[in-house]
Amino acid sequence: MKAELLIRERVVYPDGALAEIVVWRVPKPTPPSRHRFKYSLVYIASGRSVLGYDNERGKGDHRHFGDSEESFAFSSIEDLLGRFTAEVEAMRKPE
């Protein structure tokens, strides 16, 4: 089985911010992740990455928030997309 692109979406907001989601189904897990997805989700505002989720080889499933990075428990792509979308929406709400 070859890698299969499942999602590739890019949303550009009127203020120039953007959200990009890329998800692949891969033949084998990307160590140390145990699932067969390779993903990169990023939200960029004012020209800098402020939120991201990915599973880089050697790091596993992790979240970037500003300058910090933390592991998180991956359960499903649906949960990941919901989490990312909710966080982006919260960041975009006017204060």
Side-chain angles (χ1 to χ4, degrees), residues 23-48:
V23 179
W24 294 83
R25 180 176 290 124
V26 294
K28 296 186 299 186
T30 302
S33 297
R34 296 183 161 187
H35 53 80
R36 290 184 26 215
F37 297 100
K38 179 73 178 140
Y39 59 85
S40 174
L41 293 73
V42 65
Y43 175 62
I44 298 171
S46 300
R48 57 185 284 267

Side-chain angles (χ1 to χ4, degrees), residues 19-77:
E20 186 170 65
I21 298 170
V22 180
V23 179
W24 294 83
R25 180 176 290 124
V26 294
K28 296 186 299 186
T30 302
S33 297
R34 296 183 161 187
H35 53 80
R36 290 184 26 215
F37 297 100
K38 179 73 178 140
Y39 59 85
S40 174
L41 293 73
V42 65
Y43 175 62
I44 298 171
S46 300
R48 57 185 284 267
S49 177
V50 293
L51 176 66
Y53 285 88
D54 67 274
N55 61 332
E56 179 181 340
R57 180 175 293 278
K59 288 189 174 185
D61 303 294
H62 62 281
R63 173 183 180 265
H64 300 264
F65 185 72
D67 294 329
S68 68
E69 186 176 306
E70 63 188 10
S71 297
F72 77 96
F74 177 93
S75 61
S76 70
I77 286 296

